[in-house]
Amino acid sequence: DAILETVQLPRFMVALMLFLALTALVLAGVGLFGMLAFTVAQRSHELAGRLAVGADGKQLMRMMLRYGLQLAIAGSIVGIAGAAGLSRLIGSLLFGISPIDPLTFAGVLLIMLAVAFCATYLPSRRVLAIAPVSLLKADN
């Protein structure tokens, strides 16, 4: 009972942080998806014009993916810098790992880049599936 009582609060704190981290990941993914979907919708006439004059859909997809991943990398750099600065605050809750663990930071970076890739790929694919003529006619 004494051992259970001593680890009960740290376990709760870790479970709470895990829940909040997953919630933040979902909110970041939804926010990134919404922003990029809006950007792709705003640029749909540009994309349709490029397709109409002979641009390859793969080139346009790479262009949009590059844009989305550049935003994600910039945000990740700021986020990792902030996390490294604030990780000292939770150091007492970590057991067997340093507050600035490179493997953890690399894992989080890969997860965020994967979320950013999906958030960019899905709206871009949707726009490229539409015929360019219908997008250009929708402007009038």
Side-chain angles (χ1 to χ4, degrees), residues 10-94:
R11 276 189 186 171
F12 173 74
M13 295 299 285
V14 167
L16 182 64
M17 280 192 277
L18 179 63
F19 173 73
L20 292 175
L22 290 176
T23 303
L25 179 65
V26 169
L27 287 174
V30 168
L32 188 62
F33 177 81
M35 184 203 62
L36 290 171
F38 179 74
T39 302
V40 169
Q42 291 292 317
R43 294 181 71 179
S44 63
H45 296 292
E46 173 196 348
L47 295 174
R50 288 178 183 229
L51 282 172
V53 296
D56 186 23
K58 291 180 183 180
Q59 291 173 338
L60 295 179
M61 182 70 76
R62 278 194 297 272
M63 180 184 72
M64 294 307 295
L65 287 173
R66 189 178 322 115
Y67 174 75
L69 291 178
Q70 284 173 347
L71 289 176
I73 288 170
S76 295
I77 289 171
V78 171
I80 286 176
L86 295 174
S87 64
R88 303 275 184 220
L89 298 175
I90 64 165
S92 63
L93 297 173
L94 300 174

Side-chain angles (χ1 to χ4, degrees), residues 116-127:
F117 177 81
C118 292
T120 307
Y121 178 75
L122 295 175
S124 299
R125 187 183 60 154
R126 189 176 316 132
V127 168

